[in-house]
């Protein structure tokens, strides 16, 4: 149960970051968001 809650929270945070990624104009901020997004996506898809 706790694992699925963790995956849901990670998916919500990743979706928020994705929406902000496409709204952002600065490439430096986009790069920072991609760096944050990569570990979240790896955890969602359970890739270690």
């Amino acid at each position: 149960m706790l694992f699925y809650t963790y995956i849901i929270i990670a998916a919500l945070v990743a979706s928020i970051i994705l929406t902000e990624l496409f709204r952002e104009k600065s490439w430096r901020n986009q790069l920072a968001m991609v760096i944050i997004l990569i570990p979240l996506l790896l955890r969602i898809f359970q890739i270690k």
Side-chain angles (χ1 to χ4, degrees), residues 11-39:
L12 288 173
V13 171
S15 66
I16 292 169
I17 292 174
L18 268 174
T19 57
E20 290 299 319
L21 177 66
F22 291 114
R23 289 183 185 171
E24 185 62 44
K25 302 271 190 254
S26 171
W27 66 270
R28 290 180 187 211
N29 290 341
Q30 286 178 339
L31 182 64
M33 287 183 212
V34 168
I35 291 172
I36 294 169
L37 190 60
I38 290 171

Side-chain angles (χ1 to χ4, degrees), residues 4-17:
Y4 296 116
T5 305
Y6 175 71
I7 295 298
I8 291 170
I9 291 171
L12 288 173
V13 171
S15 66
I16 292 169
I17 292 174

